[in-house]
Amino acid sequence: MDDITDMPFRELCKGFGADLLITEFIASEALNREAEKSYRKMRFSDAQHPIGIQIFGADEGELLQCLEIVEERQPDFIDINWGCPVRKVAGKGAGSGILKDIPKMLRITEALVKRAHLPVTVKTRLGYDATDKPIVELAERLQDVGIAALSIHGRTKTQMYQGSADWTLIGEVKRNPRMHIPIFGNGDIVTPQQALEARSRYGVDGILIGRGAIGNPWIFEQAQRAFRGEEEREVTVAERVRVCREHLLAAIAFKGEHTAMFEMRKHYGGYFKGLRDFKQFRIPMVNTTSLDEMQELFDKVERFYS
């Protein structure tokens, strides 16, 4: 979710009902070097509480060193990403790459818990590959070293984002009578009905929605409505255009026009998913670098579907 769950997008998600927010993940090494982009990723507004700053790394010293920098921003908790499967992260032993060395994972996590003045949470995966899914025992061991909550993505590291997320082991962790910390499930929740089913079937304390929210901040409101037994509210084309436009303008104010115009391309498919004949607008949207041109495209979309 790097370059996606930035401050402007989190603001939208919060407005549409997200209960808890987490920043983009931030490399401990980059924070210690005072990299400008990493410091920007830590920014959040007062309205975004409760929020956690998510960090990653493979070096215990680097991770411990960055704690003070993170805590100065006064988030509500610090989240350690032991789940990212991408090569540039996991290949260095960070993210889900640490699942090859559970003792190291536990040692670093415990050191961070002991040093931090804020609650420390962890996000991880079922295991490294199909032959090694130690999450039930690992969850207990992470709890024993003092983490405040655990989020579990229902895939292994080697699966990346392929296949379907397996929630059965997430449910087993939650049902373990020895577990007393909150357990959050993650993976393949892209509709409010899936969120309701996951909560009902597996009994998790919360559901993390990542890819399902790209260009779709309404999913949080819709999930909340599903939990309350209410009918799903239709999101009109006019509302899609308005919110997407607001998102783009907020991103430009936050990152500058060049960067925002490029990064927002990841969201357009979600904002206008399912609209007939949308290809005539999608192609120019993902190719333009001009805000003026994008504003004209927004106007054309609204007129075409009115």
Side-chain angles (χ1 to χ4, degrees):
M1 302 299 290
D2 201 30
D3 294 330
I4 295 174
T5 53
D6 54 18
M7 190 170 84
F9 186 54
R10 292 195 307 269
E11 199 85 19
L12 284 174
C13 293
K14 185 71 173 183
F16 283 108
D19 294 311
L20 184 73
L21 300 173
I22 300 175
T23 67
E24 305 164 84
F25 72 166
I26 309 168
S28 56
E29 182 182 0
L31 280 177
N32 295 332
R33 294 199 318 268
E34 300 184 357
E36 180 182 353
K37 183 176 180 179
S38 295
Y39 271 64
R40 185 177 66 202
K41 286 182 178 181
M42 289 193 294
R43 289 178 56 189
F44 55 86
S45 67
D46 290 341
Q48 291 185 18
H49 288 285
I51 187 169
I53 291 178
Q54 186 177 90
I55 58 175
F56 75 94
D59 182 87
E60 181 177 336
E62 291 277 8
L63 284 161
L64 288 171
Q65 184 182 341
C66 82
L67 275 182
E68 183 177 354
I69 300 170
V70 172
E71 291 188 328
E72 285 177 352
R73 299 308 189 272
Q74 299 182 341
D76 298 282
F77 61 97
I78 298 168
D79 190 59
I80 310 171
N81 186 309
W82 292 136
C84 178
V86 300
R87 182 179 299 178
K88 67 179 182 179
V89 174
K92 297 179 180 179
S96 59
I98 199 74
L99 289 165
K100 271 193 169 182
D101 191 345
I102 299 297
K104 181 180 179 182
M105 177 188 191
L106 294 168
R107 185 175 67 250
I108 293 177
T109 302
E110 183 174 20
L112 289 169
V113 168
K114 288 181 175 179
R115 178 76 64 88
H117 297 92
L118 293 171
V120 173
T121 64
V122 162
K123 181 181 180 186
T124 191
R125 290 186 165 226
L126 303 179
Y128 192 82
D129 57 32
T131 66
D132 181 27
K133 298 180 181 180
I135 190 59
V136 177
E137 179 187 355
L138 177 58
E140 287 190 25
R141 297 177 72 182
L142 286 166
Q143 176 178 262
D144 289 345
V145 302
I147 68 169
L150 175 64
S151 301
I152 305 168
H153 182 92
R155 290 182 175 86
T156 63
K157 183 273 174 195
T158 57
Q159 277 184 276
M160 300 289 288
Y161 297 100
Q162 302 300 311
S164 299
D166 179 4
W167 279 66
T168 56
L169 288 176
I170 300 175
E172 191 172 334
V173 171
K174 178 56 190 173
R175 291 190 298 271
N176 182 349
R178 292 191 58 193
M179 297 299 298
H180 57 79
I181 62 173
I183 302 299
F184 295 81
N186 175 234
D188 293 353
I189 304 299
V190 298
T191 69
Q193 292 75 27
Q194 289 171 331
L196 177 61
E197 181 180 358
R199 191 182 73 161
S200 302
R201 177 177 295 185
Y202 303 105
V204 290
D205 299 286
I207 295 170
L208 296 186
I209 300 178
R211 290 180 294 164
I214 299 175
N216 183 26
W218 296 277
I219 192 170
F220 301 101
E221 175 195 347
Q222 292 168 342
Q224 298 279 15
R225 293 177 68 91
F227 294 163
R228 296 192 299 266
E230 299 173 4
E231 291 186 8
E232 185 172 332
R233 179 179 71 85
E234 180 184 359
V235 181
T236 65
V237 174
E239 184 175 357
R240 295 190 199 192
V241 171
R242 176 181 61 79
V243 174
C244 187
R245 195 194 303 263
E246 290 176 2
H247 186 179
L248 175 60
L249 293 174
I252 289 172
F254 186 60
K255 297 182 177 181
E257 184 170 340
H258 176 77
T259 299
M261 291 294 296
F262 178 77
E263 293 182 356
M264 277 293 296
R265 294 173 181 177
K266 302 172 184 177
H267 291 271
Y268 297 138
Y271 272 116
F272 302 107
K273 184 177 181 180
L275 296 185
R276 60 176 176 80
D277 301 324
F278 186 71
K279 186 177 180 180
Q280 61 181 306
F281 304 110
R282 180 181 58 82
I283 293 175
M285 276 185 173
V286 298
N287 283 293
T288 185
T289 58
S290 164
L291 173 60
D292 290 340
E293 290 181 7
M294 184 59 71
Q295 293 280 33
E296 290 179 7
L297 284 166
F298 285 144
D299 293 340
K300 288 178 180 179
V301 169
E302 194 162 8
R303 287 196 298 269
F304 184 83
Y305 293 100
S306 63

